[in-house]
Amino acid sequence: MRLVHLADLHLGFRQYQRLTPTGINQREADVAATMQRAVAQIIERAPDLIVIGGDIFHTVRPSNPAILHAYRAFMQLRAQLPATPIVMVAGNHDAPRTAETGCILRLFREIGVHVADARAELFTFAAQSLAVLAVPDVPGMVRPALLPPAGFEHRVLLLHGEVAGLLPAHAAAADRAAIEIQPHELHADQWSYVALGHYHVYRQVAPGAFYSGSIDYTSSNPWGELREEREQRVPGKGFIEHDLVTGAHRFHPVAPSRPLLDLEPIDASGMSAADLDGAIRARVDSAAGGIDERVVRVTVRNVARHVVRALDHAALREYRKRAMHFHLDTRRPEPLARGQGGGSGASRRATLPEIVAERLRERALPAGVDRDQLVALGLRYLQQAEDAAVAAMPVLES
């Protein structure tokens, strides 16, 4: 009894100003193409159940092309896998803020998709001895106790929401879900499987309970996602295949339509504008696979404003022309740390991570707390918060 679990499709997601020859935002077209690849892979797997954990669309009122892409994708699943139930819930991006506004996901009921968009619903499939409790992310909804019904061999909880305390700062701060749930409220040990949506990186939250992550980079901070995927050794975006009988579990990567490239950061301490121009050029020239038609970021730390103003902007325009999007992320030096200024004012400026690490090393700790692990965790949270703050800043296009 194999299910496929995917979530956070964000069809209709738009970013940057590049258009396709037909006038569609390029990133919107990219995400639609990624969805088509995911559908092809799911059909190849031929699961017994498909569950979709919300945020099917990026906005409550998606564009006509986004609706058409979604309709074609789900029609293809219905046509190729006619005996496979499809169950979806509304996410916080799908759910209207007012009761008078209908949810676009109801459209898919017309082609046989089971949709929970306004309240929690229990869908049962007697032939498979299967029950799916589907809980959407709706403001003001009274959430039922997340306990499985009796009388079914296979019991699946499908939920869009934020499991409290498990999301990193860059994800929790950027896109708050209406539903927040404590881990113990999932009762994960009583379900055959718990399928979660909202968080965009594949992650296990309890035995048998998983976020599948998104299928493409559609959050406000994809760079934070890339960093976390590297740290957790997650092979990018994709969907989950899980056997409810044997417990066999596999994450299937889906190749993104538009690769993201986060080039090695540059420490510009002591650099002139010409030095920094050369360092940026070296990063671009050595980028694996090149920067052409990719989404690219170069982070430059400890760089003064006057150096940024004096950079070779013709070269930057060249990079922006070659890449689908090129973001030069410049960050000024941190203020002087207390006690490091001296009398001459020539001491090196301590970075914020250095200050945080110093404070954590000085802090009195309870017995049994590993200081090195605490410092490492603190620095990781600091980096995630910095990524979230940078992602929230407007990007100025030249």
Side-chain angles (χ1 to χ4, degrees):
M1 181 69 185
R2 293 177 300 109
L3 66 76
V4 156
H5 164 206
L6 68 161
D8 298 281
L9 314 181
H10 287 271
L11 295 168
F13 173 79
R14 294 178 178 179
Q15 195 175 36
Y16 317 131
Q17 304 302 316
R18 184 78 64 87
L19 300 179
T20 68
T22 58
I24 298 174
N25 179 273
Q26 183 64 66
R27 289 296 292 137
E28 180 176 355
D30 291 344
V31 173
T34 302
M35 178 62 180
Q36 284 300 315
R37 284 194 295 280
V39 166
Q41 290 179 232
I42 291 168
I43 290 171
E44 184 179 357
R45 303 309 304 166
D48 303 295
L49 170 68
I50 299 171
V51 292
I52 306 173
D55 284 355
I56 284 76
F57 293 107
H58 191 63
T59 62
V60 171
R61 286 289 170 261
S63 65
N64 287 343
I67 296 171
L68 182 60
H69 285 312
Y71 191 82
R72 286 174 173 168
F74 295 127
M75 277 294 294
Q76 187 177 2
L77 287 172
R78 284 268 48 88
Q80 297 295 318
L81 303 172
T84 300
I86 302 173
V87 182
M88 71 170 60
V89 293
N92 56 304
H93 281 253
D94 302 309
R97 303 296 98 180
T98 61
E100 296 81 15
T101 305
C103 180
I104 188 64
L105 299 187
R106 296 176 187 176
L107 168 69
F108 303 119
R109 293 176 181 170
E110 302 301 318
I111 58 173
V113 176
H114 303 274
V115 178
D117 67 298
R119 64 183 185 277
E121 297 194 41
L122 180 66
F123 299 106
T124 60
F125 307 93
Q128 295 100 328
S129 188
L130 168 67
V132 180
L133 177 59
V135 184
D137 190 351
V138 179
M141 183 190 74
V142 178
R143 189 180 71 224
L146 303 179
L147 293 169
F152 295 89
E153 182 180 355
H154 309 297
R155 300 171 295 180
V156 174
L157 173 61
L158 175 61
L159 171 70
H160 188 99
E162 180 178 331
V163 179
L166 291 180
L167 272 62
H170 74 82
D175 191 11
R176 179 68 63 180
I179 288 183
E180 184 178 65
I181 182 169
Q182 298 300 319
H184 70 273
E185 294 180 284
L186 291 174
H187 302 287
D189 60 331
Q190 300 185 44
W191 294 93
S192 305
Y193 183 79
V194 177
L196 296 162
H198 179 65
Y199 180 40
H200 284 204
V201 177
Y202 168 68
R203 182 169 183 176
Q204 181 176 13
V205 301
F210 292 84
Y211 282 105
S212 66
S214 58
I215 62 166
D216 207 322
Y217 293 94
T218 52
S219 75
S220 60
N221 184 17
W223 311 112
E225 293 179 22
L226 279 175
R227 173 176 286 105
E228 188 171 357
E229 287 168 358
R230 289 194 298 267
E231 291 174 350
Q232 302 299 322
R233 299 183 180 180
V234 174
K237 304 301 184 185
F239 61 88
I240 291 169
E241 181 182 11
H242 187 92
D243 194 312
L244 301 179
V245 176
T246 68
H249 183 93
R250 181 180 176 187
F251 178 77
H252 293 273
V254 176
S257 300
R258 187 74 47 179
L260 272 66
L261 183 60
D262 200 6
L263 299 178
E264 182 182 353
I266 299 170
D267 184 349
S269 301
M271 284 188 179
S272 66
D275 293 336
L276 184 52
D277 283 331
I280 295 171
R281 170 68 71 177
R283 294 291 192 274
V284 169
D285 289 346
S286 62
I291 69 167
D292 293 3
E293 295 302 320
R294 301 174 76 177
V295 178
V296 183
R297 180 178 75 159
V298 182
T299 302
V300 181
R301 298 189 174 95
N302 299 315
V303 57
R305 285 181 175 175
H306 73 275
V307 174
V308 175
R309 288 195 295 269
L311 289 175
D312 184 348
H313 289 276
L316 295 177
R317 284 192 293 273
E318 175 205 335
Y319 305 148
R320 292 187 175 111
K321 183 178 180 180
R322 289 172 53 192
M324 193 269 174
H325 177 76
F326 184 89
H327 177 38
L328 182 64
D329 180 358
T330 58
R331 307 183 188 186
R332 287 183 291 169
E334 299 293 340
L336 280 170
R338 283 181 292 179
Q340 293 188 1
S344 67
S347 299
R348 184 182 71 83
R349 292 177 182 268
T351 65
L352 182 57
E354 288 172 342
I355 296 171
V356 169
E358 180 184 356
R359 297 294 183 268
L360 291 176
R361 291 190 178 101
E362 295 173 349
R363 184 181 180 89
L365 300 180
V369 175
D370 185 288
R371 187 174 298 276
D372 289 339
Q373 291 184 8
L374 175 67
V375 172
L377 185 61
L379 293 178
R380 178 183 173 188
Y381 286 157
L382 178 65
Q383 183 63 62
Q384 291 171 345
E386 185 181 45
D387 285 342
V390 170
M393 295 173 61
V395 177
L396 298 178
E397 301 285 354
S398 61

